[in-house]
Amino acid sequence: MNGRRIRVRGQVQGVGFRPFVWQLARRFGLVGEVRNDAEGVLIFAAGEGVDAFQAAIVTEKPKLAVVDAVEWEPCAVDAESFVISASGEAGSETRVTPDAATCEDCLGEVFDPGDRRSGYPFANCTHCGPRFTIVRGLPYDRVQTTMADFPMCEACRAEYGDPGDRRFHAQPVACADCGPRVWMEPDAADWLAEAVARLRRGEVLAIKGLGGFHLACDAANAEAVALLRERKCRVSKPFALMAELDVVRRFAMVGEAEAALLRDPAAPVVLLDKGPEALPEGVAPGMARLGWMLPYTPLHHLLLRAFGGVLVMTSGNLSGEPQVIGNDEAREKLSGFADAFVVHDREIARRLDDSVERAEPRMVLRRARGRVPGTFRLPEGFGDAPQVVAYGGQMKGAICLVKNGQALLGHHLGELDEALTWDAFLDADRDYAALFDHRPEVVAVDLHPGYRARQHGQARAEAEGLRLEEVQHHHAHLASCLGENGWPLDGGRVAGIVLDGTGLGTDGTVWGGEVLLADYRGFERRAWLKPAPLVGGDMAAREPWRNALMRLDQAGLGPWAEAVFGDRPLAMLRMAAERGVNAPLSSSAGRLFDAVAAVLSLCVVQSYEGEAAMRLEALADESGRPGYDFGGEDEIDPAVMFTAMKADLDAGTPLGEIADMFHAGLARAFAGRARALVETGEAQAVALSGGCFQNARLLRYMSRALEDLSVPVLVHREVPAGDGGLAYGQALVAAARSIPRESG
């Protein structure tokens, strides 16, 4: 029969796409076949309804599917019915589906006393369950996952083989008769009852999940929270929380957007404003928002339903190390933290932290479980881009691969100075390359010679004869924002406001507060925050009072610094700054946030990265005032701001109002410089990037200051604004430089 050969590309394996196509073909009376192969899903179909069938492939696709393209050509189809064929040859042109939270159908079975999966902690189907955390190779079939060790029982095999069943070819399908099992250590007859009893007694449990272990305790028990902090040596960094949605609503403000994000199949940690009821301050000292997630596996649902309250769910790891994933590793490393263990015997193929996100304004802050390894389509003009690997920065390490018009931004890895995190980075580099058959022609790295990611990329380029592209840190941030928003390769230059911690500039100083006039291929630095010495180098990031001293001295307010920080070695720091001893100049906006937080006595020494800025944001109250003025033209000078701030403090102005005016003034100062580039016609858009834009208040004020422009204002949503998105921007810059302008 005359028919069609239909190729479907995208996230189409492991999501029930073949049975969906099979059911669709039966509905339209078609004959032919469907199968997975190295490029996605391949369909041969013939019949009068083939046009409607092909349209429905996109409009009715399974909920976890992402269809990038549907291509077809005429062909002969010799068939009497429509069948699902075995997978074709192995390959990696398609992509693996991220892990997905338990669906309503599976959850109903878990809590149905009459169902054969009642109480089973690993119920899943094609609409939910583990994917990326269990896959070892492509194509995505059971033998290529950590479920290969669990032969299916007769009942599960029948479901797996029935195209009409929602478990048809669901690779992790299992039940209590044949699948993974959960147990308690020390041993208990009923793991669930024992876990709940221990949590209610104020104990700490290590619980194995999808991408690693969590440490859990009763979040309403201040003593249990303090015990966990003491054991983990985690002074004040916020803990993530897990509860059922009706419980979350008691403690947090949950609007429609927040509820939808909490219920998303990715099941991220969502930052929510505090609500009517309060948890102990020790859960997140000094914060106005808490990080919440819903239970996302049957094991979590069973535990939370039985417990009935809120659990702290923080990563199970030693300080600075990656999350623990193996049972033996957990026993070795977490025994000093946990009173007992909830473990299971399904191996985790790769560790993934929980994603962290915000609903309003929408932003992914940490891209990990549930989002990875989803890809981004490259913007218009990048069709001829070569395969590129980009290695990101030093903080919040992540890797990006470019291949076949898609960019795969890998998962959050952490601080690459830590030995085990560095090992995890190397593992991820090998893992992604093997899993997606990636053979780069270009390697993209940061300018900083001390970044381990740069050193690794440079060594690889030299060893394999690949072209090395060095990409300035803030240019990469800007490019990542352009790429996420689909800005065309030859869409023109934009005014990029890039505010973050630190990144090496082209002039040898440390940048961090810039207005760039740029496209993907290059940039000009048009405005910047007045540099100040970072006395002690990295120590300045850990001790905000150092930044405050330098900024107050610049503003002629040295006596104020002596009054506030008189117990610190001010003379020694001033001498180091004067002589330039380990005191590089920096325009960092992140360090300016630190300085203001220290001046307001919110955070003089940080116990975790970003603490000072987060406390400053949490303190700020909407003042209605326009914000403090900043001096200078190309060089934005905060001296006048500090002078006004001191006057307000002396007058007794509330600290929340002062913090708000700092945010508003900083936004107005940088927005004004970007606005000028638009008004002269040099910039065709404005883009906001860098880790400081994870601050919702700053982003809101910056957007307001730019809202009447006649050009687009581009912001981050799915790609992290901070260093977690850096590799994506590096990859785009390297790809752009590989494409001649005339073919872009």
Side-chain angles (χ1 to χ4, degrees), residues 330-402:
R331 296 179 189 110
E332 175 191 349
K333 293 187 175 181
L334 303 183
S335 58
F337 302 152
D339 298 296
F341 294 78
V342 177
V343 295
H344 60 73
D345 55 356
R346 184 179 67 201
E347 288 185 32
I348 297 172
R350 56 186 54 78
R351 73 185 82 235
L352 289 180
D353 287 309
D354 297 309
S355 292
V356 180
E357 307 184 7
R358 188 177 63 220
E360 293 290 346
R362 170 77 181 122
M363 185 175 286
V364 171
L365 307 177
R366 183 170 75 189
R367 180 176 163 83
R369 178 195 50 75
R371 298 298 179 196
V372 180
T375 65
F376 302 100
R377 186 194 294 266
L378 296 182
E380 178 186 339
F382 281 89
D384 296 330
Q387 291 193 33
V388 179
V389 61
Y391 286 118
Q394 189 75 357
M395 305 288 289
K396 300 178 181 66
I399 295 168
C400 185
L401 311 181
V402 166

Side-chain angles (χ1 to χ4, degrees), residues 243-252 254 262 272 292 294:
E244 295 187 302
L245 185 55
D246 59 338
V247 177
V248 177
R249 292 184 189 277
R250 290 167 41 201
F251 297 95
V254 183
L262 284 165
L272 303 174
W292 293 88
L294 302 185

Side-chain angles (χ1 to χ4, degrees), residues 143-185:
V143 295
Q144 300 267 52
T145 73
T146 61
M147 287 299 295
D149 298 333
F150 301 96
M152 283 181 278
C153 66
E154 216 171 286
C156 286
R157 185 163 292 283
E159 294 169 330
Y160 183 86
D162 180 2
D165 194 288
R166 78 174 198 280
R167 291 191 167 91
F168 176 76
H169 280 235
Q171 306 307 335
V173 66
C175 71
D177 293 333
C178 65
R181 67 182 185 91
V182 175
W183 67 91
M184 194 89 185
E185 296 179 4

Side-chain angles (χ1 to χ4, degrees), residues 702-724:
M702 192 75 76
S703 299
R704 284 181 191 171
L706 297 165
E707 63 187 356
D708 61 338
L709 288 178
S710 59
V711 300
V713 177
L714 311 177
V715 299
H716 286 277
R717 293 176 300 277
E718 303 302 325
V719 174
D723 282 8

Side-chain angles (χ1 to χ4, degrees), residues 287-304:
M287 295 297 109
R289 297 185 185 92
L290 301 178
W292 293 88
M293 57 182 158
L294 302 185
Y296 55 83
T297 71
L299 188 155
H300 293 130
H301 279 285
L302 289 164
L303 183 61
L304 266 297

Side-chain angles (χ1 to χ4, degrees), residues 584-629:
L585 288 175
S586 174
S587 60
S588 169
R591 300 294 78 82
L592 181 62
F593 271 89
D594 292 352
V596 173
V599 163
L600 300 183
S601 300
L602 296 177
C603 186
V604 177
V605 176
Q606 302 193 90
S607 68
Y608 60 91
E609 190 221 350
E611 179 180 8
M614 290 168 66
R615 285 180 178 268
L616 187 62
E617 180 189 6
L619 174 71
D621 291 324
E622 195 89 26
S623 67
R625 293 171 64 179
Y628 292 119
D629 287 331

